[in-house]
Amino acid sequence: MAEQHAEDRTGAAPRPVPVAIGRRPEPVHDVAVYAFPGMAPFELGVVVEVFGLARPELAGLLAAPWYGLKVCADRPGTPLEAVGGFALTARHGLDELAAADTVVVPGVPNPFGGVSPDLVEALRTAHGRGARIVSICSGAFAPAAAGLLDGREATTHWRYAELLQQRYPAVRVDPDVLYVDNGDVLTSAGSAAGIDLCLHLVRRDHGAKVANAVARRFVVAPHRDGGQAQFVEAAVRPVEEEDDGIALSMRWALDHLSSPLTISQLARAARMSDRSYLRHFTARTGTSPMRWVVTQRIATSLALLESPEGTVEEIAAAVGFESAATFRHHFGRVMRTSPTAYRRSFGRGVA
């Protein structure tokens, strides 16, 4: 069992903090979450669910009291309209956010606009005091605006990754991962990746057993492999024009994915020379023909992996890879996880 101890300011050996069963003990780690007009409630709800609930089910597992949560806003007491046609009111202001031990920014009002100067200042103050700064989804724009991500790796929702990189070039943006832990500043991708990051924080603070118990109540996996790529629908370019050579070759390739494919075969299907085909395909799609073929093979394999039928070796052959090793290599590159891990997470009826 992972243990968390209270710090003894006298220098004596640390001692466990007792946890009262059935009631919330006095918190020793304050979490503040930022609320704003126009917010999507899911990300805020994730933070409230993880850090704001009393958890009598954790009695016996905790060596330190659970978190205390404050919902904070630029204007406390002012109703904040949320997506979905309802409003909420935050009781606490940014002064209390700046004084918290962990600060969570679950988003910003407009990633394409600026970040509240008051929020930026509060984050700098909190970080300067030693607080942990956490962002979910578009919330990464806030610590980036505060300069807290300069020279560091970070992530955000894949829709905003390019914008974040352009606006803050000193940040190393990774659009593929679910979250990035820099120790004192942590960022996550969109929506459900916020659950992953919050559970990661619980795991850091209280150990795996506690994080697993929280995940069980959430009815989610305590840890997910892979990155955002597995949740972005793999797009097969629509084939609309019968006389479009590139489109015809793509249709032909999709019908023959299980067979070995070459540039010459694709070029013949497009009624072009190899050289002309390569040039036109790259201009049309932004990628090479064979890289596109690999991506389509991976996309086709997903439904097979989600079924309990077939081994990884059989699925590799069914979608045209010459070996299971080649399949695993390309699957890992595209999906940032392994075929087995993907099947374990998404398989229907797969043990």
Side-chain angles (χ1 to χ4, degrees):
M1 178 185 304
E3 292 189 354
Q4 188 82 5
H5 294 85
E7 180 182 359
D8 189 333
R9 297 181 183 276
T10 66
R15 62 192 186 285
V17 177
V19 176
I21 298 176
R23 68 176 181 85
R24 180 190 299 282
E26 288 299 315
V28 295
H29 189 111
D30 286 322
V31 177
V33 59
Y34 180 64
F36 54 89
M39 77 178 70
F42 181 85
E43 289 83 356
L44 176 67
V46 167
V47 178
V48 172
E49 175 80 13
V50 173
F51 301 110
L53 295 183
R55 293 185 177 273
E57 75 273 14
L58 297 181
L61 292 179
L62 292 175
W66 199 239
Y67 306 91
L69 178 71
K70 294 179 180 178
V71 179
C72 304
D74 293 86
R75 292 181 166 184
T78 301
L80 303 172
E81 295 290 334
V83 173
F86 66 95
L88 60 87
T89 302
R91 297 178 180 175
H92 307 284
L94 295 186
D95 55 339
E96 290 172 274
L97 181 142
D101 301 304
T102 292
V103 177
V104 184
V105 183
V108 294
N110 179 13
F112 299 94
V115 178
S116 161
D118 291 337
L119 175 60
V120 168
E121 185 60 32
L123 292 178
R124 288 172 176 162
T125 299
H127 186 259
R129 292 179 36 258
R132 184 167 56 186
I133 309 299
V134 180
S135 72
I136 300 173
C137 195
S138 66
F141 285 80
L148 305 182
L149 291 173
D150 288 356
R152 292 179 161 191
E153 187 176 336
T155 194
T156 186
H157 193 289
W158 56 267
R159 290 180 58 199
Y160 305 128
E162 184 176 356
L163 176 65
L164 183 66
Q165 187 67 83
Q166 290 174 351
R167 186 172 298 167
Y168 303 104
V171 182
R172 300 194 304 272
V173 179
D174 186 341
D176 296 326
V177 296
L178 295 176
Y179 59 82
V180 174
D181 182 351
N182 288 300
D184 56 337
V185 184
L186 302 90
T187 55
S188 76
S191 297
I195 301 176
D196 297 297
L197 181 52
C198 288
L199 289 175
H200 173 71
L201 291 172
V202 173
R203 191 178 301 111
R204 268 184 47 173
D205 295 344
H206 294 281
K209 286 187 177 181
V210 172
N212 291 350
V214 174
R216 191 176 304 117
R217 181 165 170 179
F218 237 124
V219 198
V220 298
H223 176 75
R224 292 190 295 168
D225 294 320
Q228 297 188 65
Q230 60 190 297
F231 304 102
V232 181
E233 183 177 359
V236 176
R237 187 178 182 89
V239 179
E240 298 171 349
E241 301 179 25
E242 291 296 329
D243 60 348
D244 184 331
I246 298 299
L248 285 173
S249 73
M250 295 170 88
R251 172 181 288 173
W252 183 87
L254 293 174
D255 290 337
H256 295 83
L257 283 179
S258 61
S259 303
L261 297 177
T262 66
I263 295 293
S264 294
Q265 289 174 313
L266 294 171
R268 281 198 300 271
R271 301 189 294 270
M272 296 180 182
S273 68
D274 291 6
R275 183 175 179 180
S276 178
Y277 181 75
L278 280 169
R279 184 175 69 254
H280 285 286
F281 191 99
T282 302
R284 173 78 171 269
T285 67
T287 188
S288 71
M290 299 318 297
R291 184 175 287 270
W292 178 85
V293 167
V294 167
T295 301
Q296 303 316 311
R297 284 175 167 158
I298 295 298
T300 303
S301 75
L302 300 183
L304 300 177
L305 289 169
E306 291 168 12
S307 165
E309 306 293 329
T311 64
V312 169
E313 288 73 15
E314 291 169 337
I315 292 171
V319 297
F321 287 104
E322 61 185 18
S323 68
T326 303
F327 176 42
R328 291 188 179 96
H329 168 76
H330 288 294
F331 196 97
R333 179 183 59 80
V334 173
M335 303 298 292
R336 297 302 182 96
T337 188
S338 69
T340 300
Y342 182 91
R343 167 170 270 184
R344 189 166 55 243
S345 296
F346 297 101
R348 299 184 296 272
V350 181

